[in-house]
Amino acid sequence: MIPKPGGGERPLGIPTIRDRVVQTAAKLLLEPIFEADFDPNAYGYRPKRSAQDAIQKVHELLCAGYTEVVDADLSKYFDTIPHCELMQCVVRRIVDRNMLRLIKMWLKVPVAEPDENGKPQMSGGKKSTCGTPQGGVISPLLANLYMNRFLKYWRITGRGEIFQAQVVNYADDFVILSRSYAAEALSWTQEVMTRIGLTLNEAKTTIKQARTERFDFLGYTFGPHRFRKTGYMYLGASPSTKSVSRLRLKVGDLLKRNSVSPWPEVRDRLNAALRGWSNYFCCGTRYIAYRAVDHYVYESVRHFLRRRHKVSSRGTSRFPDHVLFGKLGVLRLLDVTRETSSVG
């Protein structure tokens, strides 16, 4: 069980080494076959597509006037995909009996996990009727295949024209951006999801007016933003508050008081985390989020070094800003922004 960003836990199923190898081989064979049918507005876990592509697509649609937004949330998507219906999707393209048998075995595989006393217990197995474990190599492909049922039905019934809307999907996350029919699109989506055995989380699924309200998608916040210099309002995207908070927690874990690793190792792990975060959050308006992260990193590293070197003062004179981000080699995100801006 791993923590969810919004609270609670989700099960992460890790296949055995043998299954991981065979699932990878199967994925290499099956992916090009299923890719031919996948919707162009589905971006999750697909070759030559990324979360940044989905983020840019949402921003383009907002700027094009699709500002009524269904901010959708599926309840336990990976855990609730019905096996029977999923296999029907598979057999439309795959007829090889051995491959079909393998996929069925992966869907029905028993799961070993410790009980309250730490003793192993088994769940799942042949009696299970739904779910494909997150953490399996083949699971993202199967999840995309089943979500494609909804996207394909949306397309062939002409819902884009009827609702003046488009769906942008990334794995189990999706938003519907409409010109003026978001409520109708949501009602239709709820009905279809129920029909295919999935459930929209009504508490988390909302309709937002993006010209005046913000919404989060794939770690970004979309909606009205303000130019710092002029105060002019515009429709933009920026790293969400939750994304910044998660990075701060990660930085705190890397700079724990009891760490005994040499400073170069600590710095390299910290820089790797910061660079990875900035590589993902490279779209939209970044200045405010980057500045907040840089300030937090400076304060955290200064306190870490002050404790390690037993400095009695606050350490601002011994570890000033230019030393920490210069001689000591800590990555400053605002410098990354300037580098990419000069290259662009």
Side-chain angles (χ1 to χ4, degrees):
M1 303 300 291
I2 60 173
K4 296 172 65 175
E9 294 181 319
R10 68 158 56 97
L12 187 67
I14 309 298
T16 60
I17 295 296
R18 180 180 295 180
D19 276 331
R20 291 182 71 83
V21 172
V22 182
Q23 285 187 18
T24 301
K27 179 177 178 289
L28 292 173
L29 288 170
L30 297 174
E31 190 170 60
I33 298 171
F34 292 137
E35 271 291 319
D37 287 336
F38 284 166
D39 191 275
N41 280 345
Y43 294 91
Y45 308 115
R46 295 181 62 187
K48 298 181 180 180
R49 288 171 176 261
S50 67
Q52 283 76 17
D53 294 328
I55 290 157
Q56 290 175 2
K57 180 66 175 180
V58 171
H59 187 235
E60 289 172 7
L61 290 171
L62 289 175
C63 294
Y66 293 83
T67 54
E68 269 195 16
V69 180
V70 178
D71 183 10
D73 184 86
L74 283 170
S75 296
K76 299 181 180 179
Y77 175 62
F78 280 81
D79 299 332
T80 58
I81 298 174
H83 292 170
C84 182
E85 287 83 351
L86 174 59
M87 289 306 301
Q88 289 176 7
C89 297
V90 174
V91 298
R92 289 192 182 98
R93 280 285 189 172
I94 307 301
V95 296
D96 184 272
R97 291 183 178 181
N98 292 323
M99 181 63 75
L100 293 175
R101 179 173 173 270
L102 264 180
I103 295 173
K104 287 179 182 178
M105 289 170 65
W106 288 325
L107 293 174
K108 301 289 186 181
V109 68
V111 179
E113 55 185 329
D115 59 16
E116 296 178 353
N117 299 319
K119 296 181 179 180
Q121 61 179 3
M122 306 300 288
S123 60
K126 293 182 179 180
K127 294 182 180 180
S128 64
T129 59
C130 60
T132 178
Q134 276 185 278
V137 178
I138 201 71
S139 293
L141 179 61
L142 297 178
N144 280 344
L145 181 62
Y146 200 68
M147 177 60 76
N148 197 57
R149 286 190 74 187
F150 166 73
L151 298 172
K152 188 175 182 180
Y153 193 50
W154 171 281
R155 186 172 64 251
I156 65 177
T157 56
R159 296 295 145 176
E161 292 75 23
I162 294 170
F163 299 139
Q164 296 183 33
Q166 291 194 44
V167 181
V168 179
N169 163 242
Y170 190 92
D172 57 333
D173 291 327
F174 70 97
V175 288
I176 303 173
L177 299 101
S178 172
R179 292 190 185 274
S180 53
Y181 298 95
E184 291 84 347
L186 174 56
S187 178
W188 183 87
T189 299
Q190 287 175 319
E191 180 183 334
V192 172
M193 289 298 182
T194 301
R195 199 183 309 168
I196 63 176
L198 303 176
T199 306
L200 278 179
N201 187 331
E202 295 185 8
K204 294 183 178 180
T205 299
T206 57
I207 294 177
K208 297 290 179 67
Q209 303 294 332
R211 293 191 185 278
T212 57
E213 299 177 282
R214 290 184 166 197
F215 66 94
D216 289 353
F217 181 58
L218 299 181
Y220 279 76
T221 293
F222 295 87
H225 287 64
R226 188 187 302 274
F227 277 115
R228 291 182 297 114
K229 295 182 179 179
T230 64
Y232 175 77
M233 299 298 294
Y234 66 98
L235 283 173
S238 58
S240 69
T241 302
K242 290 181 180 179
S243 299
V244 174
S245 297
R246 286 198 289 270
L247 179 62
R248 290 175 64 166
L249 289 173
K250 191 168 187 177
V251 169
D253 288 339
L254 291 171
L255 299 173
K256 286 183 177 178
R257 183 189 295 268
N258 58 359
S259 173
V260 294
S261 300
W263 166 246
E265 292 183 13
V266 175
R267 178 201 59 209
D268 290 347
R269 287 197 294 267
L270 175 63
N271 285 351
L274 293 172
R275 192 170 294 281
W277 191 86
S278 66
N279 286 343
Y280 182 84
F281 291 100
C282 60
C283 305
T285 304
R286 295 162 285 169
Y287 178 82
I288 294 176
Y290 278 24
R291 184 180 63 181
V293 170
D294 284 343
H295 176 73
Y296 181 79
V297 167
Y298 171 70
E299 293 291 325
S300 299
V301 173
R302 180 167 57 81
H303 285 301
F304 175 81
L305 293 174
R306 181 177 63 83
R307 291 192 302 266
R308 173 166 284 195
H309 294 282
K310 296 181 173 57
V311 176
S312 57
S313 66
R314 295 178 59 214
T316 52
S317 58
R318 182 167 178 180
F319 305 111
D321 182 281
H322 67 274
V323 170
L324 195 147
F325 291 112
K327 181 180 178 181
L328 295 178
V330 177
L331 179 69
R332 192 201 307 261
L333 294 191
L334 285 178
D335 290 341
V336 174
T337 306
R338 296 187 189 103
E339 290 171 10
T340 55
S341 298
S342 62
V343 171

